[in-house]
Amino acid sequence: FYGCQALKDFTFPYGLRQIGESAFYNCQNLTKVLLPMEIDCINTQSFYNCQGVKEIRLSPKIVSIANSAFRYNYYVQRIYTQNTTDSEYTATLPQALTSIGDNAFEGCFSHISEGATMLLPQKLQSIGTYAFYHCVNLKHVDVEDGAMFDIKGRYTFAYCEMLDDESVLNITSHIKSITSSAYLFNNCIGLKNVNTQILSSYMFTSCANLESIAGTNILTDSGSYIITSCSKIKSIVLESAGINISDNAFSGCVTLEVFKVSGTTSS
């Protein structure tokens, strides 16, 4: 159904197991996606640029959401599964989900003025580059207990302009590994006083309203240019910054008043 721009409604047949690559690519007038129970995989660009979609019901059996699966679904208002219809969250992802691909939800929730909330499931193992990039009205992210995932690329939550301080702690507390130069929270201008369990390169670049960072770093290397173009940063207080604080880690922090690192940092 690639490019079927007049398509407004589609009933998925019972027993369907997968949505193939680009199956509904650029179906801009499709208003909702209600997937049957047996779906276990959504492939690359399956619902790419379906800007008319406001409601997405996922199967609880979905294991992977591939690259750009729901990219540019700007007007989506709700994502849920059959067993989470009464969820308090705007987006509740399937319990079986283990991987979220590159650009999977880029641009989603852009027209929820009060801010969207999301729950990441316990079995999640990896999140790709740009997965939630430019989800400008994604306000809050919770993660189920026991989840530990890898951040596989850059800009995963970059330009989530409404993202709140608590979300940083919730996300970083469940990261197992992270790609260097990750730009994880780049340009998240809603952040003000954050607590983190991870430090990585370019992590808080252009967070224009960030005033303080506290917490620790479980990685060996804190990364370079952790905080840049943060014109209001006043306080950095860390229990640990890892073994190494890299070059230019806090470059350009012209308003910094307090810097403290406890624990062992060798260089």
Side-chain angles (χ1 to χ4, degrees), residues 58-80:
L58 300 173
S59 161
K61 297 182 180 180
I62 290 175
V63 175
S64 66
I65 298 174
N67 298 348
S68 300
F70 295 100
R71 190 178 188 182
Y72 302 151
N73 283 213
Y74 295 116
Y75 289 89
V76 65
Q77 299 288 307
R78 188 176 177 223
I79 300 174
Y80 63 100

Side-chain angles (χ1 to χ4, degrees), residues 152-165:
K152 291 290 190 177
R154 301 181 177 189
Y155 296 99
T156 304
F157 291 94
Y159 285 86
C160 291
E161 296 180 356
M162 287 187 71
L163 197 68
D164 63 15
D165 295 336

Side-chain angles (χ1 to χ4, degrees), residues 5-32:
Q5 294 197 24
L7 182 63
K8 292 184 178 181
D9 187 54
F10 188 91
T11 302
F12 294 87
Y14 176 81
L16 189 68
R17 294 288 299 277
Q18 292 193 22
I19 306 294
E21 293 186 12
S22 304
F24 294 89
Y25 186 106
N26 208 33
C27 291
Q28 294 193 25
N29 283 304
L30 193 66
T31 59
K32 57 188 176 182

Side-chain angles (χ1 to χ4, degrees), residues 12 20 24 49 53 62-63 66-67 75 81-82 99 105 138 150 162 165 167 182 186 188 201 204 206 225-226 228 258:
F12 294 87
F24 294 89
N49 201 40
V53 169
I62 290 175
V63 175
N67 298 348
Y75 289 89
T81 66
Q82 283 92 332
S99 67
F105 294 97
L138 178 59
D150 300 318
M162 287 187 71
D165 295 336
S167 296
N186 177 69
C188 290
S201 296
F204 295 104
S206 300
Y225 295 98
I226 302 168
T228 59
V258 176

